[in-house]
Amino acid sequence: MLDPTRPPAPRIIAIANQKGGVGKTTTSINLAAALAESGKSVLLVDLDPQGNASTGLGIDVVDRKLTTYDLLLEEAELDAVVVPTQTKKLWIAPSTTDLSSADVELVSNEKRSYLLRDALRQPAIDKFALDYILIDCPPSLNLLTVNAMVAADSVLVPLQSEFFALEGLSQLMMSVREVRQTANQDLRIEGVVLTMYDRRNNLSLQVEEDAREALGDLVYSTQIPRNVRVSEAPSFALPVLEYDTLSKGSQAYRSLAVEMIEKHSG
């Protein structure tokens, strides 16, 4: 039952694709930064044991005292795990390689699929007055990704403009359907965003055509281009919007954020 004394719940979006190297973490970081730049309060939950989202937002490993591992294993309160980033209105729940053992450690826990959902609904979250929670999922359909889908309102799928891209997508759609039937009946596909897009490349154009034909309006109008500035930004521990604010990559992520906000206010 909804508590009328609490503020409206933030929109929770899992960013997932079981294929690695599709721009999932890059999209998580830069979409979060673009939403924050537009005035939204955003929490990025790093649920990938590689911890690349945490590194990409300038959180050194030594500064990750408490992480999403502690959050899932019910050893830490949400507000103790969440730390501010250098970007105004953007917070992160960081991760480390400790998270890679969560699958094994949680196997006997009856509530194992609901741990993140419960953690993100703690009253402690109210003080952040969040508009969005983005969850950067690991590149596999494991228990961590299931936790993200059970916790989320929707799933955003970064789709690399390459051969076989749509084949991997069907497996992810099946997982979403399974979670909807068993644990989160309200889960839906937020949309598909084409990443590493090169309009001079016939393959990119073909993947886009196939995706729009198969998925229609689920495919965002914005495409994220191949852009060297986007690739360089993480090594400076910055979103591309701050590393090179005028780059094509920055402009694309701003456009994606605008499109998403309009979609939710419509």
Side-chain angles (χ1 to χ4, degrees):
M1 191 171 167
L2 291 174
D3 182 348
T5 64
R6 291 184 67 182
R11 185 176 292 271
I12 304 176
I13 301 173
I15 300 177
N17 191 324
Q18 74 275 17
K19 290 186 70 174
V22 298
K24 180 182 52 60
T25 298
T26 300
T27 293
S28 298
I29 291 171
N30 291 304
L31 176 58
L35 288 166
E37 186 183 82
S38 71
K40 302 296 183 184
S41 296
V42 185
L43 168 63
L44 178 55
V45 177
D46 191 347
L47 212 60
D48 188 339
Q50 296 174 85
N52 290 339
S54 307
T55 304
L57 284 173
I59 313 299
D60 287 335
V61 175
V62 293
D63 295 327
R64 300 175 206 176
K65 308 296 184 200
L66 293 170
T67 67
T68 47
Y69 172 85
D70 302 294
L71 194 63
L72 283 179
L73 278 89
E74 301 180 282
E75 294 172 10
E77 294 292 313
L78 183 71
D79 54 344
V81 173
V82 171
V83 294
T85 69
Q86 302 163 72
T87 302
K88 188 180 175 187
K89 296 180 82 75
L90 175 56
W91 291 265
I92 188 166
S95 88
T96 61
T97 51
D98 289 351
L99 198 56
S100 57
S101 64
D103 265 31
V104 176
E105 293 183 45
L106 293 172
V107 75
S108 60
N109 187 324
E110 287 180 10
K111 291 180 64 183
R112 59 185 175 270
S113 298
Y114 297 86
L115 298 174
L116 185 62
R117 186 196 70 172
D118 293 346
L120 295 181
R121 280 160 177 73
Q122 292 177 15
I125 203 167
D126 293 353
K127 74 177 188 182
F128 297 101
L130 296 168
D131 297 298
Y132 285 94
I133 298 175
L134 304 185
I135 308 170
D136 184 30
C137 297
S140 59
L141 296 174
N142 60 11
L143 183 55
L144 293 172
T145 302
V146 169
N147 260 271
M149 289 185 182
V150 172
D153 299 306
S154 56
V155 180
L156 178 68
V157 186
L159 190 71
Q160 188 178 356
S161 304
E162 62 162 20
F163 204 56
F164 294 137
L166 289 174
E167 288 188 11
L169 185 61
S170 61
Q171 191 183 349
L172 182 66
M173 296 289 198
M174 282 169 57
S175 299
V176 169
R177 197 175 305 127
E178 199 173 309
V179 169
R180 194 185 287 136
Q181 289 169 352
T182 56
N184 180 1
Q185 64 181 23
D186 297 323
L187 183 67
R188 61 184 183 80
I189 299 293
E190 177 67 36
V192 172
V193 58
L194 294 162
T195 59
M196 304 179 195
Y197 188 88
D198 183 352
R199 61 181 62 257
R200 299 164 302 178
N201 184 324
N202 284 337
L203 183 56
S204 284
L205 299 173
Q206 188 62 54
V207 170
E208 178 179 16
E209 187 180 317
D210 291 349
R212 293 195 190 283
E213 190 176 309
L215 302 164
D217 290 345
L218 281 178
V219 183
Y220 274 87
S221 299
T222 302
Q223 304 117 354
I224 308 302
R226 281 196 179 276
N227 180 249
V228 69
R229 301 314 234 176
V230 171
S231 305
E232 289 171 353
S235 61
F236 291 87
L238 289 170
V240 71
L241 285 83
E242 292 172 39
Y243 174 63
D244 185 347
T245 191
L246 298 177
S247 68
K248 285 183 177 169
S250 297
Q251 291 167 6
Y253 279 111
R254 285 191 186 99
S255 172
L256 180 63
V258 166
E259 200 176 339
M260 179 173 279
I261 292 166
E262 286 176 353
K263 198 174 182 182
H264 295 155
S265 59

